[in-house]
């Protein structure tokens, strides 16, 4: 090995020696270089993270150098977004599909500020996410460096304070490891969400003080299985006393969904979902009665308001406006409510509840099952499950037309052969033609409204063990950023390469974030993008009509998105009619390398189920007027 000789004529600081050693090691002995970025990659490997989503830039170059070294050894690799917001959406999708923390990064200044919308989405959706942003050299703070965003400049750290669970500047190299570990652990604690490390370029270039992780981060982030045994026992008593208990499945029911459904089958208790919990249960499940809240089904709301319903058990839901019909006291927000959460902070939203339970959701329902199950119940449940599982299998294999156990608005339009194609018919046709395990991601606006009410992905299971990523339909009701689904679907497709992923978006959302589809082209992902093309911000147009507002600012130009698809190297089709949809060979489309864009010219006069949302907006206005 070559010797390293310090210049005798120059007085060196300790930091300068470290920098020179690092430079020497990188150039002549790359195996001896282990910068902070390399330590980060080691921790990501420990967590089995495959991708870092972001856009490179000058100040974040050391992190990308570490990513390059990581890729060479088949470790985590970079996915280059087209806009930093898209990078954060992709990281959210990756987490939704895997349960693992999504990682995104950006350079200083505008790179960091561009991340904020996507990070805010993860914050509102309570998605664990690790956000890394750069800073100019710490020695140059306050000097007016290009894109300076330190506390003496634009102060991006201050901006992230309001949309992260942990937010810090790494000002010294020896802070990095424990701040990284603290951040990731915080991301998984309740309430879950994004965490942010801001790292100056000169700090990121420094050698790590360890050549391997000192913490077992995978173990430290495991979720506890704690359960409030007394409260759970009390719930068991309430269930036994109830004549008509109802289960309400929310967004966080993922791993517990199978256990909840097993208990519901044993009790013959009916089930409804919030919009975010929509994808956890088969629409053909004999106990399912639809979705409550925004774009929901009247049968679900009627069931909750029925005087015979004497116990409403809401599980894993934040009880926000979108999932409660504007906090409707006649349905879910009543004294019949039992609210069960992993996150104690959510329980403050249900002061009227007769019982609050905090604990691991799967543990709560496993305890309930064990206390209520006997041999007779077990056999009856087994027979019931066998019978209906076979029926669901027959339905999904033969694509037979069936009636659901919940009421759909204007259901006849689901079978309409009219041209232009009706959105209701489109949603029904997709689940007829696509595989049962297809993952759907519905964008904000009309796309989400149509999907919640009319899109019913098949799931052959009545009960049984789920994973942290079992939902077949993903929506973002809380933050509702346009274009969210375009990036999120990419993160999901990268994580689930053997499972079809379909993104349902609008022409307005595509014009805002459609450039991210070129990432799917570059990564050769067989994603299907369905663009509801009505040459308008459809939800704005219809919202103005329903609310008697002035018709303004909703028109968009007529665009041929199939030509756009061709221009970026994707496949493109125009769908005008149900016949055009039926003619598509989805098996062939999903076998291709690269995405497909379906430019669906929908009937723009059809109004999505937004009436409840309009009522909430106007009731708020009336209260302000008073």
């Amino acid at each position: 090995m070559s010797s390293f000789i310090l210049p005798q004529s120059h007085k060196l600081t300790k930091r300068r020696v470290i920098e020179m050693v690092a430079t020497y090691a990188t150039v002549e002995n790359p195996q001896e270089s282990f910068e902070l970025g390399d330590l980060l990659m080691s921790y990501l490997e420990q967590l089995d993270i495959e991708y870092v989503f972001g856009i490179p830039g000058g100040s974040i170059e050391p992190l990308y150098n570490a990513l390059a070294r990581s890729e060479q050894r088949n470790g985590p690799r970079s996915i280059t977004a087209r806009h930093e917001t898209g990078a954060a959406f992709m990281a959210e999708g990756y987490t939704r599909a895997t349960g693992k923390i999504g990682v995104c990064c950006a350079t200083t200044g505008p790179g960091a500020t561009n991340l904020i919308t996507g990070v805010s989405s993860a914050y509102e959706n309570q998605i664990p996410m690790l956000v890394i942003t750069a800073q100019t050299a710490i020695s140059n703070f306050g000097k007016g460096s290009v894109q300076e965003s330190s506390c003496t400049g634009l102060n991006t750290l201050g901006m992230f304070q309001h949309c992260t669970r942990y937010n810090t500047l790494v000002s010294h190299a020896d802070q990095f490891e424990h701040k990284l570990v603290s951040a990731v652990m915080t991301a998984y604690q309740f309430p879950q969400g994004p965490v942010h490390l801001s790292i100056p370029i000169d700090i990121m270039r420094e050698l790590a003080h360890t050549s391997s992780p000192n913490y077992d981060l995978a173990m430290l982030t495991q979720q506890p299985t704690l359960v409030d045994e007394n409260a759970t026992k009390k719930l068991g008593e309430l269930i036994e006393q109830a004549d008509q208990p109802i289960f309400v499945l929310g967004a966080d029911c993922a791993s517990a969904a199978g256990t909840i459904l097993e208990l519901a089958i044993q009790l013959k208790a009916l089930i409804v979902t919030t919009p975010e919990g929509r994808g956890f249960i088969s629409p053909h499940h004999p106990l399912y009665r639809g979705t409550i809240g925004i774009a929901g089904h009247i049968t679900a709301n009627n069931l909750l308001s029925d005087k015979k319903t004497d116990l409403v058990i809401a599980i894993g839901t934040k009880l926000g406006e979108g999932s409660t019909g504007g906090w409707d006291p006649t349905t879910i927000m009543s004294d019949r409510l039992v609210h069960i959460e992993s996150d104690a902070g959510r329980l403050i939203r249900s002061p009227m509840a007769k019982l609050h339970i905090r604990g691991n959701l799967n543990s709560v329902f496993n305890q309930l099952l064990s206390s209520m199950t006997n041999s007779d119940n077990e056999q009856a449940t087994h027979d019931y499950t066998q019978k209906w599982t076979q029926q669901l299998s027959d339905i999904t294999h033969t694509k037979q037309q069936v009636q659901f156990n919940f009421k759909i608005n204007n259901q006849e339009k689901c079978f309409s052969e009219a041209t232009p194609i009706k959105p209701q018919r489109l949603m029904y046709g997709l689940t007829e033609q696509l595989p049962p395990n297809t993952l759907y991601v519905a964008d904000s606006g009309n796309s989400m409204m149509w999907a919640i009410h009319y899109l019913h992905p098949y799931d052959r299971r009545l009960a049984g063990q789920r994973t942290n990523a079992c939902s077949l339909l993903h929506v973002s009701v809380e933050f509702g950023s346009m274009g969210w689904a375009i990036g999120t679907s990419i993160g999901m497709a990268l994580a689930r390469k053997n499972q079809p992923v379909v993104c349902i978006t609008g022409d307005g959302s595509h014009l805002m974030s459609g450039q991210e589809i070129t990432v799917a082209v570059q990564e050769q992902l067989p994603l299907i993008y369905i663009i509801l093309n009505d040459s308008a911000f459809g939800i704005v147009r219809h919202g103005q009509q329903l609310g008697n507002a002035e018709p303004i600012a909703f028109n968009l130009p007529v665009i041929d998105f199939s030509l756009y698809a061709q221009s970026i190297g994707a496949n493109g089709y125009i769908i005008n009619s149900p016949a055009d949809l039926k003619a598509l060979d989805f098996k062939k489309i999903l076998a291709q390398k690269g995405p497909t864009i379906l430019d669906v010219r929908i009937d723009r006069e059809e109004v999505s189920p937004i009436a409840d949302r309009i009522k909430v907006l106007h009731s708020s206005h009336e209260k302000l007027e008073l």
Side-chain angles (χ1 to χ4, degrees), residues 424-437:
Q424 301 94 325
R425 177 68 179 85
L426 171 67
M427 298 296 151
Y428 185 84
L430 289 176
T431 51
E432 276 191 316
Q433 292 180 247
L434 285 159
N437 66 333

Side-chain angles (χ1 to χ4, degrees), residues 32-62:
E32 296 183 15
S33 173
F34 198 77
E35 298 176 348
L36 295 186
D38 298 295
L39 182 58
L40 171 62
M41 294 304 124
S42 294
Y43 272 109
L44 297 186
E45 286 184 77
Q46 191 184 86
L47 294 170
D48 197 28
I49 304 299
E50 301 155 284
Y51 307 106
V52 175
F53 303 93
I55 296 179
S59 293
I60 203 165
E61 185 178 275

Side-chain angles (χ1 to χ4, degrees), residues 48 88 178 224 226 275 311 344 398 425 499 566 593 595 606 612:
D48 197 28
H178 75 264
L226 300 177
L311 189 63
T398 62
R425 177 68 179 85
Q499 189 169 3
Q566 294 176 35
K593 291 185 177 180
E606 289 294 330
D612 287 343

Side-chain angles (χ1 to χ4, degrees), residues 84 106-117 119 133-134 149 156 160 196:
E84 288 85 357
T107 193
T108 189
T113 59
N114 282 348
L115 272 177
I116 288 176
T117 295
V119 174
T133 65
S149 54
T156 52
F160 278 100
H196 173 230

